[in-house]
Amino acid sequence: MRGFFMSDEELGKKDDDHKSFKNGAGLRQPNWHPARVPPRRSLKRIGIVLFVAVLVYLFIKNIPVLGPNPQMHRPSYGGSELPTNADGRPAHNRNPSSLSRSKPRPAKNAPERTYNGPVRFLELAQTLHAISGTRGSMVTNRNVLFVASSLKSAAMLLPMACQMGVELRNYVHFALMSRSEIDIQELRKINGIDDSCQIIFHDARPDYAQISTDDRMENAVFRAFHHVFNYMHPQAILVDGSSDEEPFFLRGAQQHSNAKKNTLIELPRKATTRLMWLTKLDSQALRMWNKNHIDILIHAVPGASGSLIRLLRSLSDADYTSSSVPHLTIELPHDIDAPTKRFLESFAWPPAHVYNPTNARFLSLRHRIPHQRMSEEESSARFLESFWPAQPANSHILVLSPQAELSPDYFHYLKYSLLEYRYSAASTYQHWDRRLFGISLEQPLQLLDGKEALLLPSLLKSTTSGDKDEDEGETSTSFLWQAPTSGAMLFLGEKWMELHDFVSRSLEAKQSSEPVPELLTEKVVSTQYPSWLEHALRLARVRGYWTLYPGKDTAMNLATIHSELHSIPEEYVSQESSKPMLAEDASEEEIENIRQKIKTGLEIPLAPVSLLDSLPNDGNLRPFTDLPILSWNGQPAEVDTINHLATKYATEFKEKVGRCDTTSVEKQKAKENLSTQDLFCTTD
């Protein structure tokens, strides 16, 4: 500034006066002092500088806006500016939630969800790399994944995940794909999850989740599932399928499930009270959750409208939240009672309380045309033709008698038992499925001849509980019996197809043989049961199959077979059997005896309780190796005994029915899957 206000001559002179000399040398007068600027000139210069500075500030402050004001469309982030890169995009933050943790925001100042940038998962890689010990790189493993986006859904899923982890049958994982900023440790604490739950947690939230659009969050969910799938290969993914969960999350989960064909289990709202039994299944059983299907088949008989209506009402009142609604087929006789007609006109299937957005009907009514009474062969063929499994390994049939009545939890027990005894890792490894003919809902009290009572096996309480100090009484237990039943039994699809083939070849052998082999004419099964049950028993005896029956305490919560309105199967009706139970001139004593007989009929009354409460062993299904076994005639037996009896009966059947000579028996055709051709040498 000094140079700006001085002339050139003065500038040169002043510079000479102030010029420094090296090492202090040069001419210097002894009394010399530095020149000082007069005070008035200094104040003048300071004032000019301040004036110029004010002008510059006012000019910058009042620059006109030449375009749209960016403040009009810029989202507000609650007082903290979002760091940006040179290109104007939000800079990646190591901690996605740190923007708001420093200063809480009220709900009215919630950020606008407009960010749709690239997706990054800042916390997911660390936990995914740490689970190599679970063999997640293998397609088949023990990993089960629970996933939530909504904190309300997380509160529902975490207790189930904890219970499954305590069972120690699976590696249980929980992933959070949420907008929430909650810390994983805080989420665990709020829901009472500690280390005893054996849960592996994964933070699968993307960066800037709170300000992301729904499309970005949906894409983030899909990509998170993709990363988890590559590192974990979960056998089943469990999510909250109710309206409590975020829509973008369910869309992303369903899209990934469709792309990878993995098992996605969408749990209903009351899963913690209705479906806690699924926490006791292993990963291989859960993988088949959506891949198996059950159909229901009812063979109505004339004059039993009351029993049929009672059965259909109990079916409608049951809970089907564990699976898709089964298809229902009702075989009607030629003569339909008027009450049955009226009831079927208003009968809706699926029931009104079952979620059915397409309003599809899963009901088939089949009315018989011939009026004349059917023979045993015709009745068996017609009944078995009512169902054919499209996928033998995954399609099964529940056969119900009109005299049956079911509890609300019957379908849960069927699915629980089917997944455990047909699809679990233990079942596959020990080949339980090869011996399992079906699963019964009733506990029989008589042998199939209808004459003698069935002595039900039991177990010691000390054996079931492991407490030696407890009173060593006996408790009811599930058991394996070689004889099937027709009251309420689920037949596996593979065994049903094999039964089809067996009946077909047996009828052909019966027609082409003279005389008819005794094994095809003898009646082991009482005429109070349908004729097809005789064929089912023969197949079970020749193959060594067995049926799973529930214990008494469990059967009371599943089904009962009423005897007061029992009707003889049509193929066994005769003039003698159709006579009234009482003559017109019966005495009071005879009437009272019949009344008491009907009142105290052989049946187990229903006493519905929670499924897990009705099952022994804390709700865990016992392995086949721990269950008692009964031969077809009700005698206690071991596996070796069943094998010996089956081999003996098969040899006799091949010789007398299959017309196999000694040489053929010794060579023995190889058993084909779903076929009984090896039992018949005269048929192809």
Side-chain angles (χ1 to χ4, degrees):
M1 295 294 297
R2 288 166 47 194
F4 182 77
F5 292 104
M6 295 181 181
S7 64
D8 292 339
E9 294 179 0
E10 291 177 339
L11 178 63
K13 186 177 185 305
K14 292 295 181 181
D15 289 342
D16 290 340
D17 293 340
H18 293 282
K19 185 178 297 183
S20 60
F21 294 91
K22 187 176 182 180
N23 299 327
L27 297 175
R28 181 176 298 177
Q29 296 178 3
N31 297 325
W32 180 88
H33 295 284
R36 297 181 179 272
V37 180
R40 292 183 59 187
R41 183 175 295 181
S42 298
L43 292 177
K44 180 179 179 180
R45 293 173 181 174
I46 293 174
I48 294 174
V49 171
L50 292 177
F51 178 76
V52 173
V54 171
L55 289 178
V56 173
Y57 171 78
L58 293 176
F59 176 79
I60 297 176
K61 180 69 176 180
N62 294 279
I63 293 178
V65 178
L66 303 177
N69 189 352
Q71 298 296 332
M72 295 178 62
H73 58 81
R74 183 179 300 165
S76 173
Y77 301 106
S80 58
E81 289 294 327
L82 186 67
T84 58
N85 294 325
D87 57 359
R89 293 182 303 162
H92 292 297
N93 192 340
R94 183 61 185 171
N95 188 353
S97 59
S98 63
L99 296 176
S100 59
R101 283 182 182 173
S102 59
K103 186 176 181 180
R105 289 190 302 267
K108 62 180 180 180
N109 293 329
E112 298 180 14
R113 294 169 179 173
T114 58
Y115 179 53
N116 198 26
V119 175
R120 292 186 62 190
F121 303 96
L122 306 177
E123 307 294 337
L124 185 57
Q126 180 180 1
T127 54
L128 288 182
H129 289 150
I131 62 172
S132 58
T134 65
R135 299 185 178 182
S137 59
M138 302 178 65
V139 176
T140 302
N141 52 57
R142 295 170 55 193
N143 290 321
V144 177
L145 175 64
F146 289 80
V147 194
S149 177
S150 165
L151 295 185
K152 194 171 183 180
S153 298
M156 187 273 285
L157 292 176
L158 281 172
M160 300 186 72
C162 180
Q163 181 61 39
M164 184 179 291
V166 170
E167 298 292 337
L168 298 179
R169 300 190 69 180
N170 306 304
Y171 293 116
V172 182
H173 305 260
F174 182 90
L176 185 63
M177 303 180 183
S178 174
R179 293 186 188 272
S180 173
E181 303 169 354
I182 188 171
D183 185 74
I184 294 294
Q185 294 299 326
E186 184 179 356
L187 179 67
R188 295 181 56 175
K189 182 179 180 180
I190 292 175
N191 291 278
I193 305 299
D194 54 21
D195 293 339
S196 65
C197 290
Q198 303 293 330
I199 301 177
I200 304 173
F201 282 84
H202 303 272
D203 190 344
R205 291 173 288 186
D207 54 347
Y208 307 116
Q210 279 207 333
I211 61 174
S212 298
T213 63
D214 284 350
D215 290 340
R216 183 178 188 266
M217 290 301 297
E218 183 177 335
N219 180 44
V221 170
F222 184 90
R223 291 190 58 186
F225 273 116
H226 175 74
H227 294 308
V228 171
F229 183 83
N230 289 336
Y231 281 88
M232 188 187 302
H233 283 90
Q235 305 301 287
I237 300 174
L238 293 90
V239 301
D240 180 9
S242 70
S243 58
D244 292 338
E245 191 52 277
E246 298 286 354
F248 69 81
F249 170 77
L250 293 179
R251 290 195 301 267
Q254 292 165 357
Q255 290 172 8
H256 185 269
S257 177
N258 295 333
K260 295 297 184 179
K261 306 301 180 183
N262 55 6
T263 300
L264 178 66
I265 303 176
E266 299 185 50
L267 299 174
R269 186 178 298 275
K270 297 182 180 180
T272 52
T273 57
R274 307 297 298 165
L275 299 177
M276 282 300 289
W277 49 266
L278 70 79
T279 62
K280 301 181 180 297
L281 295 169
D282 66 12
S283 60
Q284 302 307 305
L286 290 172
R287 185 176 62 178
M288 301 300 297
W289 184 272
N290 299 324
K291 298 178 182 178
N292 60 85
H293 186 74
I294 297 175
D295 285 20
I296 301 177
L297 178 59
I298 302 174
H299 187 74
V301 296
S305 60
S307 298
L308 179 62
I309 293 173
R310 178 179 55 197
L311 171 60
L312 294 178
R313 284 176 175 168
S314 66
L315 283 172
S316 297
D317 294 338
D319 183 11
Y320 299 97
T321 55
S322 62
S323 180
S324 58
V325 179
H327 186 275
L328 174 61
T329 300
I330 304 176
E331 289 278 350
L332 297 171
H334 182 274
D335 299 323
I336 307 177
D337 300 331
T340 301
K341 287 183 179 180
R342 291 193 298 269
F343 182 81
L344 292 177
E345 288 176 357
S346 59
F347 179 69
W349 189 263
H353 64 85
V354 175
Y355 179 67
N356 184 23
T358 61
N359 293 322
R361 284 176 57 86
F362 302 108
L363 174 65
S364 297
L365 300 178
R366 301 184 57 181
H367 178 242
R368 197 180 81 210
I369 294 178
H371 188 277
Q372 65 272 17
R373 182 174 63 87
M374 293 186 298
S375 63
E376 295 182 35
E377 292 80 6
E378 292 173 341
S379 177
S380 299
R382 175 178 171 80
F383 181 75
L384 293 173
E385 288 171 355
S386 302
F387 172 74
W388 183 257
Q391 297 177 337
N394 302 324
S395 184
H396 315 286
I397 181 68
L398 173 62
V399 175
L400 296 176
S401 166
Q403 281 75 40
E405 183 181 4
L406 306 176
S407 76
D409 276 349
Y410 88 92
F411 202 75
H412 289 277
Y413 173 80
L414 276 184
K415 183 145 190 175
Y416 183 20
S417 302
L418 181 64
L419 292 174
E420 175 65 24
Y421 291 120
R422 173 61 181 84
Y423 300 110
S424 66
S427 173
T428 304
Y429 179 76
Q430 300 183 19
H431 305 298
W432 295 349
D433 55 316
R434 297 183 182 180
R435 286 292 188 91
L436 184 60
F437 199 15
I439 301 172
S440 175
L441 293 175
E442 62 166 316
Q443 186 184 64
L445 301 178
Q446 284 183 316
L447 299 177
L448 290 185
D449 59 9
K451 299 177 182 178
E452 300 181 16
L454 175 65
L455 298 179
L456 300 176
S458 59
L459 295 176
L460 294 177
K461 290 184 178 179
S462 59
T463 303
T464 60
S465 64
D467 187 0
K468 296 182 179 180
D469 296 334
E470 188 179 354
D471 182 21
E472 292 193 1
E474 293 184 346
T475 180
S476 64
T477 179
S478 302
F479 61 95
L480 303 172
W481 189 20
Q482 205 174 3
T485 183
S486 62
M489 176 172 168
L490 177 75
F491 287 87
L492 300 187
E494 298 160 315
K495 303 303 188 294
W496 186 265
M497 293 183 67
E498 192 174 358
L499 180 60
H500 263 252
D501 188 70
F502 181 77
V503 172
S504 175
R505 296 180 186 275
S506 296
L507 295 180
E508 183 179 355
K510 187 175 182 179
Q511 293 174 358
S512 61
S513 301
E514 188 63 36
V516 178
E518 183 180 355
L519 289 180
L520 295 181
T521 59
E522 67 175 348
K523 290 293 299 178
V524 177
V525 180
S526 171
T527 56
Q528 65 180 326
Y529 301 106
S531 57
W532 61 265
L533 189 59
E534 190 80 53
H535 296 285
L537 177 61
R538 291 173 187 157
L539 179 60
R541 292 179 63 185
V542 79
R543 294 299 196 203
Y545 295 154
W546 50 49
T547 299
L548 175 69
Y549 287 88
K552 183 177 180 180
D553 296 336
T554 304
M556 295 175 63
N557 190 40
L558 299 178
T560 185
I561 308 299
H562 295 281
S563 59
E564 73 275 7
L565 298 177
H566 177 72
S567 299
I568 296 177
E570 182 182 359
E571 58 267 29
Y572 297 127
V573 173
S574 63
Q575 292 184 356
E576 182 177 356
S577 61
S578 61
K579 291 181 180 179
M581 298 178 64
L582 287 173
E584 294 182 359
D585 57 349
S587 63
E588 291 294 334
E589 184 178 356
E590 292 175 339
I591 295 176
E592 182 62 25
N593 290 337
I594 293 297
R595 183 182 293 115
Q596 291 298 326
K597 182 179 180 181
I598 294 175
K599 184 177 180 180
T600 60
L602 293 175
E603 63 181 61
I604 296 179
L606 283 178
V609 295
S610 171
L611 176 60
L612 291 181
D613 292 338
S614 67
L615 293 172
N617 196 30
D618 296 329
N620 294 286
L621 297 177
R622 294 186 178 280
F624 274 172
T625 52
D626 293 347
L627 297 180
I629 304 176
L630 301 179
S631 63
W632 68 273
N633 56 2
Q635 299 299 317
E638 299 294 335
V639 176
D640 293 338
T641 305
I642 298 295
N643 293 337
H644 174 73
L645 294 176
T647 302
K648 181 179 179 180
Y649 186 76
T651 302
E652 183 182 4
F653 191 91
K654 290 178 181 180
E655 293 178 354
K656 295 182 178 180
V657 179
R659 302 300 182 184
C660 301
D661 54 27
T662 306
T663 306
S664 300
V665 172
E666 291 177 356
K667 292 182 179 179
Q668 287 192 355
K669 298 179 182 179
K671 180 182 180 298
E672 296 182 10
N673 192 27
L674 310 179
S675 173
T676 57
Q677 185 179 357
D678 59 304
L679 301 175
F680 299 87
C681 297
T682 57
T683 59
D684 296 329

